[in-house]
Amino acid sequence: MQDQMTPAQRAAAIANGSEVDRLPCNPNIANGVARVYGCKISEFNHNPKAIAEAQMAAYRKFGCDGLRIFTDLFPWAEAMGATVAYPDDDTADLLKPAISSVEDIDKLHPANPYKDGRLPVQLEAMKYLKDLAKDEITCSAGIVGAFTNAFFLFNTSKTLKLIHKNPEAVHKLCRVSLETCKAYAKAALDIGLNPTISEPMSSCTVVSPKVFREFSLPYLKELVDFIKSYGSNPVVHICGQTDKIWRDVVELGIGGISIDNVASLKECKLAVGSQTKIMGNVDPGGIMYSGTPQDVRTKTLEGILDAYDSPKGYVIMSGCSLPVETPFENIQTMMDTVREVGYPVCPERVREMIQSGK
């Protein structure tokens, strides 16, 4: 089943209220693109060409509606002094935070995206990807938010305790963290890619809405406003349960909100669908990785039924990045299901497709 439009044509038509062939769909394959391209994930740590070409290989295979330079959560903390472990063929992981004591916070400096850690590799990958994608598909530059990055600078459990014991120190961490985020976002914007923001530690599963509003939201707002000042409007993704902070996030005037599978698309549409585009939220582990193609089809259809009529638009996605070994057949099933539904969406037909189990 072939698409009638390129992702760029589809996005432009939706923005203009013109006819389109289907809803946009982005399975969020993440480092699973290495499996499509045929390289080890460790190549993504030093080979910008591999990062870009692997993204394009996944697009050519599945026809997804977005590409993103984003290999793991830690390049920004690493560029500020954290130590990262590099498995031979798996996603990089945090080995040691940048600092071990509150007194060391004053020794932290914002990273230079052109010189520090792997950030220059990712910027080069953006240039390659933009050249490969041309005007066919939108490319973005993933970045973690300042609050999340602060946890990787100091230590997750210590930072959670510091929120209550020494809030001023947490604000210091977030401030220097934000300067790194802004510098990287500016470098991506200069290349021509739109930044997208991931804020997993802002999840209501991790911190309370009160803590989010005090320690994350001010820096998220500053980062969003900074990106918007350059004519781009970022999408924000927060993992886990987020219903209690949807309005806070959307009132930043963002381009879209991406929600995890534990959140409700229907409730999100009713709460904030009139303010921004909604993206999500097929379970990346339980369905996309572990489920059958029929499971993927059913959950994709249920998501479409819940949110196809969201006022500011809806993008079918997995709830978060897919596990590396997610079966190709399941990714293809998500894309083919969206193509079969087409556009405009007929809810009665979608219900029939769910009930028939075919």
Side-chain angles (χ1 to χ4, degrees):
M1 195 182 302
Q2 295 294 318
D3 287 325
Q4 300 166 27
M5 309 174 84
T6 67
Q9 289 169 340
R10 187 174 300 112
I14 289 171
N16 295 329
S18 306
E19 290 186 11
V20 294
D21 54 346
R22 62 167 175 82
L23 287 168
C25 179
N26 186 0
N28 198 358
I29 303 169
N31 282 349
V33 297
R35 299 294 179 261
V36 182
Y37 182 56
C39 71
K40 290 185 176 181
I41 294 172
S42 55
E43 287 194 42
F44 293 167
N45 299 319
H46 62 268
N47 187 339
K49 199 169 183 180
I51 299 173
E53 289 185 345
Q55 287 287 325
M56 284 303 296
Y59 167 60
R60 297 296 180 206
K61 182 171 181 65
F62 299 112
C64 45
D65 279 83
L67 300 177
R68 182 175 64 147
I69 299 297
F70 186 86
T71 58
D72 57 89
L73 294 167
F74 310 112
W76 303 275
E78 181 187 34
M80 296 175 71
T83 306
V84 172
Y86 298 125
D88 183 49
D89 197 19
D90 205 348
T91 300
D93 200 4
L94 186 67
L95 195 62
K96 184 181 174 186
I99 57 172
S100 57
S101 70
V102 172
E103 291 73 29
D104 288 337
I105 294 175
D106 289 331
K107 297 177 184 178
L108 289 170
H109 298 286
N112 181 335
Y114 299 101
K115 292 181 179 179
D116 295 332
R118 289 176 291 152
L119 300 184
V121 174
Q122 303 212 358
L123 294 181
E124 285 301 309
M126 292 178 205
K127 295 175 186 175
Y128 278 119
L129 185 61
K130 191 168 187 293
D131 188 53
L132 290 169
K134 300 189 181 350
D135 297 325
E136 193 171 335
I137 181 168
T138 300
C139 304
S140 63
I143 184 170
V144 297
F147 185 65
T148 289
N149 191 53
F151 279 78
F152 306 147
L153 292 172
F154 187 56
N155 174 285
T156 300
S157 60
K158 283 184 179 180
T159 306
L160 285 170
K161 291 175 184 174
L162 207 61
I163 285 169
H164 304 289
K165 291 182 176 179
N166 191 342
E168 184 183 340
V170 178
H171 282 295
K172 271 188 178 181
L173 270 173
C174 289
R175 170 55 55 190
V176 69
S177 178
L178 175 66
E179 294 310 312
T180 292
C181 296
K182 286 166 70 173
Y184 184 81
K186 174 65 164 60
L189 287 159
D190 286 346
I191 292 167
L193 272 69
N194 301 313
T196 65
I197 304 168
S198 296
E199 255 296 353
M201 299 307 290
S202 289
S203 169
C204 298
T205 310
V206 180
V207 298
S208 69
K210 181 178 182 293
V211 166
F212 165 75
R213 291 177 186 124
E214 182 176 348
F215 294 97
S216 176
L217 188 60
Y219 305 99
L220 184 58
K221 174 175 169 47
E222 190 169 333
L223 182 57
V224 168
D225 287 347
F226 179 81
I227 293 167
K228 288 174 70 173
S229 73
Y230 288 92
S232 180
N233 199 357
V235 165
V236 173
H237 173 77
I238 301 177
C239 301
Q241 194 53 264
T242 48
D243 58 325
K244 292 179 174 62
I245 59 172
W246 284 338
R247 291 191 183 278
D248 300 276
V249 176
V250 166
E251 283 171 6
L252 299 177
I254 55 174
I257 185 168
S258 164
I259 63 171
D260 210 337
N261 57 282
V262 297
S264 166
L265 273 177
K266 189 178 289 186
E267 289 176 12
C268 190
K269 175 185 73 176
L270 293 173
V272 297
S274 61
Q275 294 172 267
T276 196
K277 179 170 58 183
I278 295 170
M279 312 166 84
N281 71 338
V282 179
D283 183 348
I287 298 297
M288 294 300 295
Y289 172 68
S290 303
T292 65
Q294 184 57 49
D295 294 333
V296 173
R297 178 177 169 81
T298 299
K299 287 298 180 183
T300 301
L301 290 169
E302 289 175 353
I304 291 171
L305 202 57
D306 282 345
Y308 78 94
D309 56 350
S310 194
K312 291 291 186 178
Y314 168 55
V315 179
I316 300 100
M317 286 181 66
S318 53
C320 200
S321 297
L322 295 184
V324 170
E325 305 296 347
T326 298
F328 289 176
E329 185 180 10
N330 284 357
I331 299 171
Q332 190 65 56
T333 296
M334 174 183 267
M335 295 300 311
D336 286 347
T337 301
V338 176
R339 292 178 179 118
E340 187 180 345
V341 169
Y343 197 87
V345 173
C346 174
E348 292 77 16
R349 180 166 172 266
V350 175
R351 289 189 189 96
E352 289 172 4
M353 291 167 72
I354 294 171
Q355 289 165 3
S356 70
K358 294 180 182 178

